[in-house]
Amino acid sequence: MAVVSHDEWIRRATLIGKKAEPMVAEAEKTGCFSQELRNYVHQHEMHKVLRPLQYGGSGMGAFTFSEIVRTVANYNASAAWLVYFVILHEQWVAYLDEKGRQEVYDSNGLVGDIFMPLGQVEYVDGGVRLTGQWSFGSGVLWDEWMGLGAIVEVPGEDPQPCLVNVNKKDFQVIEDWNPLGLRGTGSHSVKVDDVFVPWHHVLPVLKVKNKAEPVGGHYSNEPIFKAPFMAFFCLGFPAISTGIAQRVTKDLKTRMKARQRILYNMKESESPIAQRNLAEVMVKLDAIEAMNKKYIDQLEEWIAAGTPLVNEEEKNKMGAWRSHIGKEASELAFHAINLLGASATGSGDPLETAARDAFMVYIHLGQIYEDNMMAYGRTQFGLSGHPLL
């Protein structure tokens, strides 16, 4: 695959967003976007955005990655979530042992994961046998591979949370996804029963996070190896929140402009109160966009300098920024409904969907506001930060 330009990736993201938008109602009903959209995303090779060049990828950096996700989120957050994960999960594949890395990339399948270390392992010759059940497997109906969390003592490493990579022929999908928002992500549960996984498909997560080293050592100079792993890994969350906030603000402005206030015999746009309310929303959007840009700029600065390891304060600052963006976007979306009243509350209304989706992004495990603010605050006093992020 030739290196694809930033503008071409954004063009593809726009096409995917436009393709997904009319499918939202059905995805909300069924609990996942269709295989038709999955095939469209695969056809546009979104899974190769971060893949290293030597494996046929495009080796892009933080700015392009974030902008792809934000662009799709302008159309629908669930679709953006899936595209984010399609791109993102090839990042950790690049840290696998060379043999496992090659097998996954050669399959040309999509990759998912569930980080929570809930699996049980039995150590056998050449690897482990994995058993367990995990919730929240976003996009699992689209995926060829799933990295499933377990505490594993990889040879030569301390026991630690690992991603144990399992092929779809060896896992069962339990279709139990029925949430408030992000309904189209198909984040069903996954069950595995005594499946053998060789060592070259087991990734020690703390080694990656704390040492910035792929299994077997470095082998290329891609952006994904030149910035802190988790800060790069999580950049799609603020991108989705920003895209939702942009969509909400655009829709709100359009609907306020067209709205007639019958009781007051005036157009909404003529009301000083409405004018003030819209200005406040626009400024809140400006602040969300500015912090998202600050997040991307920090990652690009680290990439340019080749800084995959930073101190606790720097790592946890990024988590606090992500959580703040998610909180602000969620509050903005519900505030927009408040400004429009009952007309925006119908099931399937774009603003109603966006508000539910924004809230789900905000409360994701890696986004929990209280956790990330506490962790960042701890680092201000020289204490340890978030145990994973």
Side-chain angles (χ1 to χ4, degrees), residues 288-308:
I288 290 169
E289 290 176 331
M291 183 160 276
N292 186 56
K293 182 179 184 300
K294 190 175 180 69
Y295 191 99
I296 298 165
D297 288 348
Q298 178 62 85
L299 282 172
E300 290 290 1
E301 181 181 319
W302 282 329
I303 290 169
T307 314

Side-chain angles (χ1 to χ4, degrees), residues 186-346:
S187 300
H188 299 295
S189 295
V190 176
K191 184 176 182 179
V192 169
D193 186 16
D194 194 34
V195 169
F196 174 71
V197 180
W199 286 123
H200 60 268
H201 277 285
V202 179
L203 180 70
V205 174
L206 290 187
K207 177 179 180 179
V208 170
K209 174 179 177 283
N210 297 331
K211 298 181 181 179
E213 292 181 3
V215 177
H218 281 284
Y219 59 92
S220 67
N221 195 33
E222 314 292 335
I224 55 173
F225 301 121
K226 298 168 72 176
F229 182 88
M230 293 307 297
F232 198 119
F233 196 82
C234 293
L235 74 79
F237 294 125
I240 293 172
S241 294
T242 302
I244 293 172
Q246 290 172 330
R247 169 65 185 265
V248 165
T249 303
K250 178 182 176 182
D251 285 359
L252 175 66
K253 181 178 179 180
T254 299
R255 290 164 75 161
M256 289 180 75
K257 189 174 183 180
R259 193 180 188 196
Q260 180 73 27
R261 301 302 299 269
I262 303 299
L263 292 178
Y264 299 101
N265 191 31
M266 66 188 306
K267 293 181 179 179
E268 183 88 350
S269 60
E270 296 171 348
S271 164
I273 296 173
Q275 294 160 2
R276 182 261 185 201
N277 286 339
L278 181 60
E280 184 179 58
V281 169
M282 298 293 289
V283 170
K284 286 183 177 181
L285 174 62
D286 289 341
I288 290 169
E289 290 176 331
M291 183 160 276
N292 186 56
K293 182 179 184 300
K294 190 175 180 69
Y295 191 99
I296 298 165
D297 288 348
Q298 178 62 85
L299 282 172
E300 290 290 1
E301 181 181 319
W302 282 329
I303 290 169
T307 314
L309 295 175
V310 296
N311 63 37
E312 284 287 290
E313 180 178 347
E314 290 293 299
K315 284 188 290 187
N316 285 274
K317 176 177 70 177
M318 302 298 276
W321 286 358
R322 290 194 304 270
S323 292
H324 182 75
I325 293 168
K327 180 175 182 288
E328 290 295 301
S330 178
E331 291 178 354
L332 185 152
F334 280 103
H335 183 53
I337 291 178
N338 182 52
L339 294 177
L340 289 174
S343 64
T345 61

Side-chain angles (χ1 to χ4, degrees), residues 372-385:
N372 282 331
M373 290 301 168
M374 179 185 69
Y376 184 38
R378 283 176 56 84
T379 67
Q380 303 306 301
F381 299 105
L383 303 173
S384 61

Side-chain angles (χ1 to χ4, degrees), residues 39-57:
N39 293 339
Y40 194 71
V41 170
H42 192 273
Q43 172 191 330
H44 285 85
E45 299 190 298
M46 301 308 287
H47 55 304
K48 297 183 179 180
V49 172
L50 299 182
R51 183 186 293 190
L53 297 172
Q54 72 184 85
Y55 293 98

